[in-house]
Amino acid sequence: MIKPNLSSSVKNYLYKYIRSLDLRGNTKLPPESELSVNLGVSRVTVRRALDELEKEGIVLRIHGRGTFVNPEAVNIQVNLMPGEEFSRLIESCGYKAAFEVADVRKRKAGEEVRRILQLESGEEIYEVEKVFLADGHPAIISIDRFACSLVGNALKREDVEKKSTFDILRRLGGCFIVRDKIRIETMNRGEMEHETVWGKKMECDSVLVFHGINYNQDNRPVIYDTELYDTKYIKFSLLRVKNVYEDGI
């Protein structure tokens, strides 16, 4: 069944469907009306999902002919645009994935986190740090920060070993994460050792960092996460749709 945030769910379904196709022949997708009936949603919802896939370069719309899969986009192993679960991301790069919980800590929210998550002064947050391994090597460190008030004050290590932060917030806080906004930068070894428990065990001198603000179904920020990627193991690609005019500079 399609769950809350229909267009996002339909988009994810279509993305998986496209990845399963044999693109050596016809790359044309079924018409919107047929997809609408098959998924049990409106044509408007299907159109919104296709709009997003078109912006990401996954599909090409040709007036009078229909919607076609862009084979070049599908051949990208790890696309920067869709928010992929970390273990699947590692497997997409050709490695066996595993993960460990590095730390679960409760602390008073700092000024930056309080501002981003719109918290009251003195409010406490959880910080959940995990490391994701590629063939046994540390490839990704993730730190999720969210208000204790969303899930109660007794979150334990075993809770986050069994469930993702998204699952915990959905089950205990009624929050469905529907989108995020990320800022990208790099971080050197000294910085990652200072910011994370697992930093000293990373096998690289610098990492690619995503700082993400995750919003729920009410468009409120509920998770502030930091993701550190060793680009030896995780290699992102991004297919961009150009909006360049002849008189542009």
Side-chain angles (χ1 to χ4, degrees):
M1 288 290 292
I2 301 298
K3 292 184 170 65
N5 189 20
L6 285 175
S7 61
S8 177
S9 297
V10 171
K11 173 188 168 184
N12 289 335
Y13 172 86
L14 290 174
Y15 188 77
K16 291 177 182 177
Y17 168 71
I18 288 169
R19 300 283 289 189
S20 71
L21 295 175
D22 182 354
L23 299 177
R24 290 173 294 183
N26 183 25
T27 63
K28 186 176 181 179
L29 290 179
E32 291 178 3
S33 57
E34 184 177 331
L35 291 171
S36 172
V37 171
N38 290 341
L39 293 173
V41 298
S42 70
R43 288 186 64 176
V44 172
T45 300
V46 171
R47 191 173 299 119
R48 286 174 182 161
L50 290 172
D51 286 344
E52 290 295 319
L53 291 173
E54 184 181 26
K55 289 177 183 177
E56 294 173 15
I58 304 297
V59 300
L60 307 170
R61 279 166 160 164
I62 302 175
H63 184 68
R65 293 180 57 194
T67 302
F68 296 81
V69 178
N70 180 358
E72 287 298 319
V74 177
N75 287 334
I76 292 176
Q77 275 190 312
V78 180
N79 193 340
L80 184 60
M81 291 299 290
E84 189 76 79
E85 194 274 328
F86 294 128
S87 293
R88 286 199 293 269
L89 189 63
I90 290 170
E91 289 168 356
S92 297
C93 292
Y95 302 100
K96 181 179 179 181
F99 83 92
E100 296 180 19
V101 177
D103 198 19
V104 179
R105 46 192 180 262
K106 185 166 66 171
R107 61 176 54 175
K108 190 176 293 185
E111 183 178 348
E112 181 186 26
V113 175
R114 191 171 67 245
R115 173 182 56 81
I116 290 172
L117 296 182
Q118 301 174 8
L119 304 177
E120 299 293 333
S121 178
E123 196 164 347
E124 290 188 314
I125 61 167
Y126 282 113
E127 290 186 347
V128 177
E129 180 175 336
K130 296 180 181 179
V131 58
F132 292 81
L133 307 171
D135 287 350
H137 300 277
I140 305 170
I141 296 176
S142 74
I143 303 174
D144 293 330
R145 307 171 187 87
F146 52 93
C148 293
S149 59
L150 290 175
V151 297
N153 291 310
L155 190 67
K156 299 181 178 62
R157 190 185 190 94
E158 52 264 33
D159 295 326
V160 298
E161 287 176 341
K162 298 175 182 177
K163 297 285 186 180
S164 70
T165 300
F166 290 176
D167 288 335
I168 290 170
L169 289 179
R170 182 169 58 246
R171 180 169 53 90
L172 299 179
C175 292
F176 293 87
I177 305 303
V178 298
R179 67 182 181 90
D180 67 355
K181 179 176 68 175
I182 64 170
R183 173 171 55 88
I184 303 175
E185 63 181 21
T186 58
M187 185 181 289
N188 62 36
R189 170 160 289 280
E191 291 169 325
M192 70 174 115
E193 290 181 2
H194 179 265
E195 295 291 331
T196 70
V197 171
W198 251 82
K200 292 182 179 179
K201 299 182 181 181
M202 293 295 280
E203 300 171 355
C204 52
D205 291 326
S206 64
V207 288
L208 182 67
V209 182
F210 292 0
H211 296 287
I213 306 173
N214 295 258
Y215 296 84
N216 70 2
Q217 68 272 28
D218 299 318
N219 203 36
R220 293 188 58 84
V222 292
I223 304 174
Y224 176 46
D225 65 51
T226 300
E227 305 164 5
L228 287 66
Y229 296 91
D230 183 343
T231 55
K232 176 181 177 181
Y233 300 102
I234 309 298
K235 301 183 185 300
F236 289 103
S237 297
L238 176 62
L239 186 72
R240 301 189 297 177
V241 177
K242 292 290 188 178
N243 187 19
V244 179
Y245 300 94
E246 289 185 2
D247 58 350
I249 296 177

